[in-house]
Amino acid sequence: MFAVPLGDAAELRPLEPWQAEEFLTHMDRARADVDPWIPWAGRSTDLDSARTVLRDYADRQAADAGRIYGIWLDGTLVGGVMFVSFDARTGVCEIGCWAEAAGQGRGLVTRAVRLLIDWAVRERGIHRVEWHAAAPNVRSIAVARRLGMSRDGVLRQNFPYAGTRQDTEIWSLLADEWLRAEEASEPGAQRAPGPRCDRGVVTESSQV
């Protein structure tokens, strides 16, 4: 297991089925904030259902089709990021995020997503990173903007929630756009440390 520091006493770590109890406690705090945007938030209501969510992501990771990571702040799980889907063959993945109130407004999600993008592009050869956000989810859309993503369009009334059909905004970032932006950053500028792949094992990299 690895832990990558995000700054501000926060860490990014894998989130696995054996952590279902901690995940459920976190979901109980976060559900009101994230249920409209994360489909499994409303389904993680007891230990079995929370474990099912994490097992689903463990199965996706085993198939190289998705992954999930938690963000711990001062030792408490406050949010996370995930590869909702991951297809190395076509070079396309989708990244998502969530956070309870205690994990918001600190830039932790943005830093964590940067790590996932950098790993996907540099280590796995992903060409296109997608970001899907419900149109009213202004926090998620703000993350996409901060990461330099482009708004591709809107899937109108794409999914139902609480009796109302929601629009989904599709944002994306291409590998060459990401690499150009990284190369254009100021020399010596501080960046959040990212995981690197060493013979198939994700390890913590040193801060640049």
Side-chain angles (χ1 to χ4, degrees):
M1 181 173 140
F2 71 88
V4 180
L6 296 173
D8 299 325
E11 292 182 327
L12 183 71
R13 309 179 203 161
L15 190 52
E16 301 175 347
W18 64 270
Q19 296 162 300
E21 187 171 354
E22 183 178 14
F23 177 66
L24 175 61
T25 300
H26 159 58
M27 276 291 107
D28 287 342
R29 296 191 303 267
R31 192 171 294 111
D33 289 328
V34 304
D35 182 41
W37 325 126
I38 303 294
W40 39 258
R43 299 198 301 265
S44 303
T45 55
D46 56 30
L47 194 55
D48 285 342
S49 56
R51 188 176 290 114
T52 295
V53 168
L54 297 183
R55 280 178 176 163
D56 175 62
Y57 272 96
D59 290 343
R60 293 191 205 187
Q61 179 163 340
D64 197 24
R67 296 164 188 260
I68 191 168
Y69 302 92
I71 296 172
W72 277 262
L73 177 64
D74 292 320
T76 299
L77 181 63
V78 296
V81 292
M82 67 279 200
F83 289 109
V84 180
S85 62
F86 191 95
D87 190 336
R89 182 183 61 84
T90 62
V92 178
C93 72
E94 179 192 343
I95 294 178
C97 70
W98 79 95
E100 64 176 83
Q104 297 174 5
R106 299 169 178 264
L108 300 179
V109 165
T110 301
R111 289 176 229 166
V113 173
R114 287 181 65 87
L115 298 176
L116 266 60
I117 295 174
D118 208 56
W119 178 80
V121 169
R122 295 181 188 274
E123 303 293 343
R124 299 303 309 278
I126 289 294
H127 177 74
R128 174 182 166 88
V129 177
E130 293 188 352
W131 187 269
H132 298 188
N137 191 351
V138 294
R139 286 185 177 275
S140 181
I141 291 169
V143 173
R145 287 198 174 102
R146 283 196 293 271
L147 292 165
M149 292 185 173
S150 297
R151 184 173 179 266
D152 293 341
V154 178
L155 301 178
R156 297 182 301 158
Q157 299 186 11
N158 183 50
F159 71 96
Y161 176 76
T164 302
R165 297 201 67 89
Q166 302 281 341
D167 292 349
T168 299
E169 294 197 10
I170 308 298
W171 293 69
S172 69
L173 181 67
L174 304 182
D176 58 348
E177 294 170 340
W178 175 259
L179 295 173
R180 280 200 306 269
E182 291 293 281
E183 290 167 3
S185 63
E186 278 189 83
Q190 292 242 329
R191 294 193 309 161
R196 66 176 187 274
C197 187
D198 184 6
R199 297 186 180 180
V201 179
V202 178
T203 59
E204 180 185 334
S205 69
S206 58
Q207 185 162 349
V208 176

